[in-house]
Amino acid sequence: MIAIIFQTIEYSYHNLEELFVHAKEISQKENINANSKLYVVNDEIVFKMYLPETKEYLRNLNNLFIIREIQELKKIEELVLPTALIKLNKNVIGYFMPYIKGKSLCNYLLDLSVDNKQKLYVFTQLAKVIEWLPSGIHIGDLHANNIIVDQHNKIHLIDIDGFSIDGGEQLSVPTPLPYVVGKYC
């Protein structure tokens, strides 16, 4: 039997309501292709809740089911992996992941107080993460807002369900091939 790297938790409407009492929504106003809502809960975890009316929902979910069986991904500390899939009425509606305090790579690169050596170091880390990915796993939604740089100048890749997986969903930005689903113009 293959061990999974994150569990599935069933929630009731009442439990979800309690979860949202002190949650803060992360704005995705600038993200025209968002297929989820993001909430920070207790300043510790992010709840990524899918918008099921979007066509990407099932593709992202399919990738999560594959990703959770790939043990090698857990060894890559820079990947912000889900800690649990969240179910409501027997349907997965999203997942929890650790909340990483820091700046998006976009804001980090624009920060004039960060010297160029540190910025180069961040790109070196990104290259190593790409090199460490197991065969058949590709960062499908790689852009500066899906990389968080913490206070120690360490990178953290978020939006893991946007990865492209051989044998799973092929998601990419931009769309290089007809069979690959693109998310951005």
Side-chain angles (χ1 to χ4, degrees):
M1 181 170 165
I2 297 174
I4 58 174
I5 60 177
F6 47 90
Q7 61 186 338
T8 302
I9 302 173
E10 181 81 37
Y11 270 78
S12 67
Y13 283 110
H14 178 71
N15 293 130
L16 282 176
E17 283 177 346
E18 288 179 359
L19 189 71
F20 284 114
V21 168
H22 299 290
K24 297 175 188 158
E25 186 171 0
I26 299 172
S27 174
Q28 295 204 73
K29 191 166 68 171
E30 302 296 319
N31 184 356
I32 62 170
N33 293 297
N35 67 346
S36 64
K37 289 189 173 265
L38 302 170
Y39 299 92
V40 178
V41 180
N42 298 327
D43 212 30
E44 294 177 7
I45 60 172
V46 172
F47 177 32
K48 182 173 184 175
M49 185 172 66
Y50 289 118
L51 302 173
E53 65 272 7
T54 63
K55 63 183 176 180
E56 297 301 317
Y57 162 66
L58 292 176
R59 294 178 189 279
N60 291 106
L61 194 55
N62 186 40
N63 278 351
L64 279 178
F65 284 123
I66 296 169
I67 285 170
R68 77 180 191 162
E69 295 181 3
I70 303 172
Q71 295 296 314
E72 298 95 323
L73 292 177
K74 197 169 185 175
K75 296 175 188 172
I76 305 173
E77 294 175 6
E78 293 82 357
L79 299 180
V80 181
L81 294 170
T83 56
L85 295 177
I86 305 305
K87 277 187 168 183
L88 177 67
N89 295 329
K90 305 202 185 303
N91 295 311
V92 175
I93 61 166
Y95 63 90
F96 290 152
M97 65 180 161
Y99 175 55
I100 306 298
K101 295 178 182 168
K103 299 177 182 179
S104 69
L105 178 59
C106 183
N107 289 333
Y108 182 82
L109 294 174
L110 292 172
D111 187 340
L112 299 176
S113 69
V114 178
D115 71 37
N116 288 336
K117 285 184 181 182
Q118 288 300 102
K119 292 176 183 178
L120 180 59
Y121 175 67
V122 165
F123 281 107
T124 302
Q125 290 177 69
L126 180 57
K128 287 180 181 178
V129 170
I130 293 169
E131 181 182 344
W132 293 332
L133 287 174
S135 178
I137 304 289
H138 316 281
I139 305 172
D141 197 8
L142 180 60
H143 58 78
N145 288 323
N146 278 345
I147 300 169
I148 305 297
V149 183
D150 69 20
Q151 69 272 16
H152 304 293
N153 297 309
K154 302 287 184 192
I155 66 165
H156 304 270
L157 278 71
I158 59 173
D159 203 19
I160 300 304
D161 56 332
F163 276 24
S164 285
I165 302 171
D166 292 356
E169 299 297 331
Q170 305 297 310
L171 304 170
S172 185
V173 183
T175 305
L177 300 168
Y179 64 89
V180 177
V181 177
K183 294 175 92 174
Y184 301 94
C185 301

